[in-house]
Amino acid sequence: MERWSSVLKIPLIATSSNYYRVAASLCLSEVPSANAVFFHGDRVRDTGNTVIERLYDLRKVAEDFVPTVNRYGEPTTSYSPVGLPASSSIVSLLSSFLQEAESLVLKEGKDVCLRSSLAHCPRTILLGFSKGGLVMNQFLSEMSSLETNSSSEDEEIGIIPASKESFLKSVSEVHYVDVGLNSSGAYITDQNVVQRISQRLAGGGSSVSVFVHGTPRQWRDEQRGWIVKEKDELVRLLKSEGENSGGKLQVHERFYFADRVPDLQMHFEIIDVMDVSSA
């Protein structure tokens, strides 16, 4: 299976001066069954720790995907689905990336099937690490506003969704990866959001699994006790509403490094060791 991997600087919109560092590995020989999109948190500078230096990202994403955050990247109000801002941003970013990637692959003289027409759009797996969990909250809020039959029947189906509605409908997994903030709002705890997602799935939507991964760094932080309380409330809501979805809304909770003293390294190390299986 031939793959093409690269890291590109992609603007969110063509006229923007802000660029995202998009790292991707694309299968060239066949159409993917799923696409995974990973949202990092804040940059951590000059730690001297090789694990942390290898795994941090170069840019915050909260401001472009979650309009209700302040300058510290923390939510100021509840997550609003109006306009589907996170979905609009990711579809724009992925479309621009795919266009640039296709051009580079062709220049290398390789065969490419990046724009194959499909019967069904590949599944989308979303992962939010640290403050990237804010984006997961926003996506869940937007998923809760989606109607089962909201996608256009005339939309061309490719390896990435062409519209914000089809993107939301393609989401099959949402992963919270050691999420935490210095204020409340790390996990969404709005019962209406979870309830509406459950109702949509029961009405014919595809199954969605929510994974909650954590370490003592976040879940045993006595100075920020709201983190584990919010996590517990989200898990409770998902379990409760999952029963009403006909089994289509599921939650998986996983705790790592339970026998270690909390430190910054484990917060990043979870990226390497987390279990994303549904078993």
Side-chain angles (χ1 to χ4, degrees), residues 183-203:
S183 68
S184 60
Y187 293 90
I188 196 165
T189 56
D190 187 336
Q191 181 176 0
N192 290 329
V193 167
V194 180
Q195 186 177 62
R196 288 194 296 266
I197 293 174
S198 175
Q199 291 171 346
R200 179 176 68 83
L201 300 183

Side-chain angles (χ1 to χ4, degrees), residues 163 167 184 255:
S163 71
F167 175 83
S184 60
F255 190 42

Side-chain angles (χ1 to χ4, degrees), residues 74-91:
E74 298 170 342
T76 56
T77 62
S78 59
Y79 295 89
S80 172
V82 176
L84 306 180
S87 305
S88 298
S89 294
I90 193 61
V91 168

Side-chain angles (χ1 to χ4, degrees), residues 12 20 22 37-40 59-69 79-94 126 131-132 134-139 142 167:
L12 187 61
Y20 275 86
V22 180
V37 185
F38 189 99
F39 293 87
H40 273 277
R59 193 184 191 284
K60 293 187 292 184
V61 300
E63 293 90 339
D64 288 330
F65 286 78
V66 188
T68 57
V69 298
Y79 295 89
S80 172
V82 176
L84 306 180
S87 305
S88 298
S89 294
I90 193 61
V91 168
S92 174
L93 194 64
L94 291 178
L126 298 173
K131 275 190 178 179
L134 292 173
V135 188
M136 302 301 101
N137 292 337
Q138 182 64 36
F139 277 127
E142 295 179 18
F167 175 83

Side-chain angles (χ1 to χ4, degrees), residues 83-105:
L84 306 180
S87 305
S88 298
S89 294
I90 193 61
V91 168
S92 174
L93 194 64
L94 291 178
S95 297
S96 297
F97 173 81
L98 188 63
Q99 183 177 2
E100 179 70 13
E102 184 178 38
S103 175
L104 292 174
V105 170

